[in-house]
Amino acid sequence: MSSLTTGGSIGLARPLSDAATSTVQTSAIAARLERLPLTSYQRGIFAIIATAWFFDSMDLGALTFVLGPIKQSFGLSTAQAGLLSSMSFLGMFIGAASAGMLADRFGRTRVFQVSMIFWGVGSILCGLAPSLETLAAARVLLGFGMGMEFPVAQSMVSEIIPAKQRGRYIALLEGFWPLGFIASGLLCYAVLSFADWRWVFILQGIPAIFVLIVRRYVPESPRWVAAHGDAAGADRVMSEIEAKVSQRLNGAALPAPEPQFVEVQRTRGLATLFAPGYARRTVMLWSLWFFALLGFYGLTTWLGALLQAKGFPVTKSVFYTILISLAGIPGFLTAAWLIERLGRKPTLIGALLGAAIASYFYGGATSQTQLIVAGLCMQFCAFGMWSALYAYTPELYPTHVRATGTGFASAIGRIGSLIGPSLIGFILPVAGQSGVFALGAGAFALAALVVFTLGEETRGRTLESISH
């Protein structure tokens, strides 16, 4: 394996620097990973990560359905409800920013497991909160765990799945968000028919015990182990993966590894995000995440409450929100197909522009039929946007800072999601619902413009080839 091509003139007959040694190891591991056929073993790892993502998404989506009852329970003003909605995003900002660096320092699986404990405890505390202040603090804790999980899960899937299927699987991973959102709506619809909103959070905190499955069956990323200079550890993890893949192939011999170009690490940590070759990507991703999340969460968090403002009762508004969100399923499946067929950029731009147009018409809907049709189109495009966004982001950074880069992009997005619900709480009384959805449409359009002008295509390329 040591003869594989690397990104510098590294002669193996003379001592290597730490960075060069790490590069040789990473090149060898990348070659061994990329040559693996995709089997039920890798799909099983993906399914475990996606299930954890599903439970996490249920917790995040719950506030859309119970914000109205919480508002009534505590007698909140529109502005106060908007601020409460933003508390989970404050936690997600802190969690995303810290988790990326922690995952690059201590490993993907450790941080992923810790994140699940945080959101599980946070959800149960939401259900037990005796006051508005306690509920807000619990939402911050819940958001912290969610913010930790998202960038780490992206990095884990991107580093395990081979390049030809990587984008599709990360897009499918994000597809578990609308599934979790819909499941959360169904749970709320059932629970609110006989109990109050507190039981929704308590029940959604219980699945955090799934962390035991993650701990047992999900291996550490061999790419990460190699990038940290642990050749023996990387070889051990990689050999276990190869053995299990071969077992799924009935003992058939694996294809020979092909050389992978890996650039010698010249910078580490946060400095890499603004190093030559990465600064443009960072500016693009931070802007994209900020505007996309400002638009999405600003609108989605308020969907149930806005329907109630139109005169629909709580259970009816929950039903219509679930109905609209069903379009997210074909939305993410379509995006998962298009990102490998057309590429990341056109899929992402198309989804953002589609969401902008649908949001504008949703805000101006004058009948129930127009409302539902525009809402279906909006969620179809919005969840397609999410799938493309999550597939695209981790590909643009090298292994040693992948989680850090993804985490900080997500954290900047959480600033947008923190501002969005609060901003709408203040805009709604002044500009009405049409003004609210015009704001969301503008945010999506700006995100599309950023990708068009600064983005680059990554379809079909290995992570190592993208990183130089």
Side-chain angles (χ1 to χ4, degrees), residues 428-441:
L428 182 60
V430 178
Q433 292 202 18
S434 60
V436 166
F437 284 92
L439 172 68

Side-chain angles (χ1 to χ4, degrees), residues 323-347:
L323 177 63
I324 290 169
S325 300
L326 286 173
I329 297 176
F332 84 78
L333 290 174
T334 301
W337 178 74
L338 287 175
I339 59 174
E340 296 295 1
R341 183 81 175 187
L342 298 180
R344 279 50 160 169
K345 277 188 66 174
T347 302

Side-chain angles (χ1 to χ4, degrees), residues 53-124:
W53 188 288
F54 170 82
F55 290 139
D56 199 346
S57 300
M58 283 187 67
D59 263 327
L60 183 59
L63 195 63
T64 297
F65 303 101
V66 299
L67 182 60
I70 290 175
K71 185 179 177 183
Q72 294 174 2
S73 179
F74 288 104
L76 305 181
S77 67
T78 303
Q80 286 176 316
L83 289 172
L84 177 63
S85 302
S86 296
M87 289 300 99
S88 57
F89 301 118
L90 173 61
M92 292 179 77
F93 166 74
I94 301 170
S98 59
M101 292 186 291
L102 291 172
D104 282 332
R105 175 68 179 84
F106 297 106
R108 304 338 189 187
T109 57
R110 292 179 184 176
V111 178
F112 191 72
Q113 293 167 42
V114 170
S115 74
M116 295 180 67
I117 295 172
F118 272 114
W119 65 250
V121 172
S123 184
I124 292 174

Side-chain angles (χ1 to χ4, degrees), residues 377-391:
C377 293
M378 180 174 68
Q379 295 296 71
F380 177 91
C381 294
F383 285 113
M385 173 272 293
W386 272 114
S387 291
L389 178 63
Y390 272 102

Side-chain angles (χ1 to χ4, degrees), residues 35 63 77 84 125 169 200 229 267 285 289 330 341 418 439 464:
R35 70 54 152 42
L63 195 63
S77 67
L84 177 63
L125 290 178
Y169 271 84
V200 172
T267 57
L285 286 174
W289 275 81
R341 183 81 175 187
L418 178 65
L439 172 68
E464 287 68 30

Side-chain angles (χ1 to χ4, degrees), residues 49-65 92 119 123 139 142 145-147 149-150 153 172-185 188 201 204 207 296-297 300 383 386 390 414:
I49 296 172
T51 301
W53 188 288
F54 170 82
F55 290 139
D56 199 346
S57 300
M58 283 187 67
D59 263 327
L60 183 59
L63 195 63
T64 297
F65 303 101
M92 292 179 77
W119 65 250
S123 184
R139 291 296 298 176
L142 173 62
M146 293 175 181
E149 180 173 319
F150 290 150
L172 290 173
L173 174 68
E174 172 51 26
F176 280 76
W177 202 106
L179 293 177
F181 187 86
I182 292 165
S184 180
C188 292
F201 289 112
Q204 289 185 161
F296 181 83
Y297 283 114
T300 302
F383 285 113
W386 272 114
Y390 272 102
R414 304 311 162 184

